[in-house]
Each structure stands twice: as structure tokens, then as C-alpha cells.
Amino acid sequence: MQKGKEKLENGDKTYAEKEIDSKALATLVFTSGTTSKSKIVMLSQYNIARNISDMQLVEDFRSTDVNLAFLPYHHTFGSTGQLIMLSSGITTAFPDGLRYIAQNLREYHVTFFVGVPILIEKIYEKVEEEIAKQKKTTLIKVAKVFTNLLLKLGIDIRRKVYKQIIDGLGGLRFVISGAAGLDKRVEKGLNDLGILTVQGYGLTETSPVLCAENYKYRKYGSIGFPMPNVEIKIAQPNEEGIGELIAKAPNLMLGYYEDEEATKEVIKDGWFYTGDYGYIDKDGYVYITGRKKNTIVLKNGKKIFPEEIEENINKIDLVEDCFVFGLPKEDDLVLSVKIKYDEEVVKKKYPSFNMEEIKKAIWDKVKEANKLVPKYKYIKNMILTNMDFAKTTTNKIKRYEEMKKMHLN
């Protein structure tokens, strides 16, 4: 058999003149399966290429950047992300593992990082720990007030003032967070240091990005604006303007593989029903309030988005992870939380405590967190564990599996 080079030299133009249908099925990707069983998503080259094009129109990608590839390529967040790196001329380094992230950032002089909130929050925690160790917490706090004031006047000296901190992160310049909500304090903290940090939002079904913040347009807590070729609407908004996010986009999937019924459930009249609740503010910024399938509906009709409560509980230092659910009781639901406690923090703070005392200490803090929300959203029951939750590759809890474990499905 002739080699490809020889064929070309002998005038074979089969490959060069091959007509490619960019809108035909090109790849099959599984959804993460956080709320139900995974589905198989059909994407075309056109879907993915249009999403890459949109991202390049709004984000500050530079060919001089070095990216640390941590996200798995069997997920669209990781695979489309890597194609953006290649199309932007960005160098990619591969990490040695989770525990080596901080070390690899420095070793490879990483300037650009795409990741999930838990990773980005851990990076920021290390920064805060180092500042505290050097007894510079107050100094940095005062410096941030000064540098932010100058920034409002159009003078940006953040990367000079915080050069030592940034160098400790390898020279990190730009961070994109996706797959879940990033803690506002962390997003603001990194931006205050001069490390551009933005949030994005999307789904496997949309190749994946629908909305994102960028260097020019950011509002903490939001997921920014829709991509240039994406249209977002709120379906059946309630009195607070909250409803299901629906989208029209060139990066919308062809459908679910061999599942026409499931496809029709989410694509109606050209609009994709994301399954996420949210709202759009007066300035056009989009916000996510919770997943439709996760919504807990009480007997009195009140709707509770567990993600909102989880965000507060996860801020408790003794809590490593949690998920909120409705525990059936008679003809209603009792708002409950399952918590994986942080064994290291517990040992450090309460070395002599037994299990009952640890439970009480955490429950007291949960009751404090309750005060941050209306009474109907109060947690009334807690389950404590030291076992890991079932998670997706992007670190989201597989609620469906966790509920199954408790025989609640």
C-alpha cells in the first residue's frame, strides 16, 4: 500500500478535495449525569467550531499564554477548551495530578487556567494561607483598597503591587471557571490581585458555552452575557423574574443519540430548554439560581433551590462538601442536608471531641447559616458522613446516585 505522501506526490487529490459536511455528526459525548442517567449528545464540527469562534470574539486569549490542562477531554468543557488553545496558538502543559497543581503552575509558568470552582477556590485558599503565614493579611487588605481606587481612575498597578503573589502562582494572568458557581469572594479576590477571573456557563448539549463574563464585562455572581451568536430567554418567569433558561444557538447539539423522545423534551421550536433556572438583570447579565431537577417543592408551593443553601453551608470551615435535599415526611418534605465533614479541620479545631460533639458543633454552625435565608429555607435535618460523595469528572455531586443510596429515588 502506498503511503499518503507518495499518493500526494503522484497526484492523488482524494484527501485534499474531500468534501466535508460540517453539520454532520462528528462526535458523541456523554452528559455528566448529575441529576439522572447520562445521555449521549451528538455534536457536529459546525457546533464546536462556532462555539470556538464565539469564545475567541469575547475572551482575551493570547498566543504567548501557557495553559495547564486539567479538565478531562471526554467532557466538552475540556475538549472544546483544548481546541480553543490550539486555535489560539496557546501552549499546553499537563499536570502531574491534583496535589501538584500549585507546583505545576510555578514549574510551567502557567498564565492561563480553565477549571472548576473547587480547584480555583483551593488555589485562592493557598494564596490566603501564604499571606497569613507572612502576617501580611492587613497589609494586603489595605493595598487592595488603594489599587482598586486607582483602577477606577484608569490606573492599573495591581500586577506590580502583587507581583510576589502572582509569581508564586507561576505568573497566572487569566482564569476561567465553569461547571458550577464560583464563590464571589474568590472571584473578587483574584481579580483584586490583578488575575483576570471570569465565570462561564454551558452544557454538553451546547458544545458547551452559552454565556460568559470577560475582561470588559463582569458582575460578581453572574455568568455574564450570552455569546455573540447565542440568544437567551427566560421561559415562564415568576414574579421575581426567575424561570427556565432557554437558548437558541449554532452550537446546539443535533440531538440525543437514538433518543428522539428525550431530544423533543429539551428542543422545542428551535429553543433548547437547559433545565436550569435563572434570571436576567436590567443590564443584561445572566444569573443561575438552580437546577430545575434539583428544585425542592414544599407542600405550601414554596420552591427551594438547594444550590443557594449549599453555597452557605460549604462556607463552614468544618464542612468539606454537602448537598441539600427534601426528606419525605408524611405528605410533605423536610429540608435536609448531607454533610461530608473535613476531618483535618475537625482534628485541628476539636482534637478531643467525640462524634456526637462534632455533630453538635457542625449543627450549631448550620443553624447560623439558616439565618442567612428565609425561614421556609431553614435546614431542619442533618446527616453527617466522612465518606466521599459520588461525583462527575467536573466535581459535581451526582445527586441521583446519592439519593439512590438513601433509597429516596
Side-chain angles (χ1 to χ4, degrees):
M1 185 184 285
Q2 284 184 307
K3 292 180 181 176
K5 185 180 177 183
E6 290 173 1
K7 283 188 173 184
L8 288 171
E9 287 171 351
N10 292 330
D12 189 329
K13 296 180 181 179
T14 308
Y15 180 80
E17 293 177 355
K18 172 73 177 173
E19 282 191 25
I20 297 170
D21 182 356
S22 64
K23 294 187 179 181
L25 171 63
T27 184
L28 296 171
V29 191
F30 281 87
T31 60
S32 57
T34 52
T35 55
S36 60
K37 288 182 180 177
S38 291
K39 297 184 183 75
I40 307 171
V41 173
M42 299 188 291
L43 299 177
S44 67
Q45 289 188 17
Y46 178 79
N47 291 149
I48 297 164
R50 288 299 296 266
N51 204 223
I52 291 168
S53 172
D54 270 2
M55 286 291 285
Q56 288 179 325
L57 285 171
V58 298
E59 301 298 351
D60 184 21
F61 301 123
R62 301 178 188 178
S63 59
T64 51
D65 277 323
V66 176
N67 161 60
L68 192 66
F70 191 83
L71 296 170
Y73 289 167
H74 61 266
H75 192 285
T76 51
F77 191 17
S79 58
T80 301
Q82 185 54 51
L83 289 171
I84 288 169
M85 307 305 151
L86 291 168
S87 61
S88 304
I90 294 170
T91 300
T92 294
F94 293 87
D96 298 314
L98 185 59
R99 68 174 71 181
Y100 300 105
I101 290 287
Q103 181 185 321
N104 290 158
L105 287 173
R106 292 190 298 273
E107 280 178 342
Y108 304 128
H109 303 291
V110 173
T111 59
F112 182 35
F113 185 72
V114 182
V116 293
I118 192 166
L119 274 179
I120 296 160
E121 286 161 12
K122 290 288 182 190
I123 289 169
Y124 188 65
E125 273 175 31
K126 292 290 181 188
V127 169
E128 288 190 310
E129 283 172 16
E130 190 58 36
I131 291 169
K133 197 191 294 180
Q134 295 180 24
K135 298 181 179 177
K136 290 182 179 178
T137 304
T138 305
L139 178 66
I140 296 297
K141 197 174 180 180
V142 172
K144 282 182 178 180
V145 174
F146 176 66
T147 52
N148 281 335
L149 182 62
L150 286 178
L151 191 61
K152 286 178 182 176
L153 299 171
I155 304 165
D156 189 357
I157 60 169
R158 292 172 300 171
R159 290 186 70 84
K160 289 180 182 177
V161 172
Y162 310 116
K163 186 177 184 303
Q164 188 181 346
I165 296 169
I166 293 166
D167 286 349
L169 295 171
L172 199 57
R173 178 188 74 81
F174 186 17
V175 175
I176 296 179
S177 176
L182 180 64
D183 189 327
K184 291 181 211 174
R185 186 185 66 83
V186 172
E187 187 179 357
K188 185 177 187 308
L190 287 168
N191 277 302
D192 285 349
L193 293 172
I195 299 168
L196 173 63
T197 303
V198 301
Q199 286 205 85
Y201 163 77
L203 303 95
T204 305
E205 291 90 336
T206 55
S207 311
V209 187
L210 286 176
C211 300
E213 299 176 289
N214 59 46
Y215 69 97
K216 196 173 181 182
Y217 299 104
R218 291 195 317 275
K219 198 179 272 193
Y220 299 128
S222 84
I223 52 169
F225 289 122
M227 290 286 103
N229 290 291
V230 172
E231 191 179 347
I232 294 281
K233 287 200 309 189
I234 304 297
Q236 299 178 316
N238 64 13
E239 63 278 2
E240 295 170 310
I242 296 172
E244 186 174 357
L245 263 68
I246 62 174
K248 256 187 187 175
N251 44 300
L252 174 58
M253 67 173 180
L254 303 174
Y256 294 120
Y257 181 66
E258 293 185 350
D259 199 338
E260 198 175 328
E261 191 179 324
T263 302
K264 285 178 180 176
E265 280 177 19
V266 296
I267 301 177
K268 301 166 188 175
D269 298 321
W271 288 93
F272 173 62
Y273 285 68
T274 65
D276 286 309
Y277 280 125
Y279 65 93
I280 302 172
D281 74 8
K282 59 182 177 60
D283 298 316
Y285 286 89
V286 185
Y287 293 78
I288 298 291
T289 55
R291 190 83 183 139
K292 187 177 179 180
K293 285 186 179 178
N294 298 344
T295 306
I296 300 163
V297 184
L298 302 179
K299 187 182 176 183
N300 60 11
K302 294 281 188 184
K303 289 181 180 177
I304 297 163
F305 303 117
E307 294 89 345
E308 173 195 4
I309 303 165
E310 288 163 358
E311 188 179 338
N312 293 331
I313 294 173
N314 276 324
K315 287 175 183 173
I316 298 169
D317 57 354
L318 303 173
V319 174
E320 186 175 315
D321 217 341
C322 76
F323 85 99
V324 170
F325 62 97
L327 184 70
K329 187 179 180 182
E330 295 171 2
D331 60 345
D332 206 355
L333 295 170
V334 176
L335 203 58
S336 307
V337 65
K338 188 173 182 180
I339 290 174
K340 184 195 176 192
Y341 64 91
D342 192 317
E343 292 184 82
E344 283 185 29
V345 177
V346 168
K347 282 176 188 173
K348 198 181 290 182
K349 292 194 80 169
Y350 307 112
S352 61
F353 273 28
N354 60 34
M355 203 59 226
E356 279 306 307
E357 289 170 318
I358 291 168
K359 192 170 185 177
K360 185 183 182 305
I362 295 173
W363 179 241
D364 286 343
K365 288 181 180 282
V366 169
K367 286 193 286 186
E368 284 299 310
N370 273 344
K371 294 174 185 176
L372 300 170
V373 294
K375 280 193 174 181
Y376 73 90
K377 294 181 181 179
Y378 278 18
I379 294 291
K380 294 176 181 173
N381 178 56
M382 180 181 79
I383 297 169
L384 208 57
T385 182
N386 62 352
M387 303 292 287
D388 289 333
F389 293 130
K391 289 191 173 184
T392 67
T393 50
T394 51
N395 214 60
K396 289 186 280 190
I397 293 173
K398 292 186 176 181
R399 295 172 188 269
Y400 176 78
E401 284 191 24
E402 287 299 324
M403 298 289 275
K404 210 171 175 180
K405 283 181 194 175
M406 294 186 286
H407 309 289
L408 296 176
N409 272 346

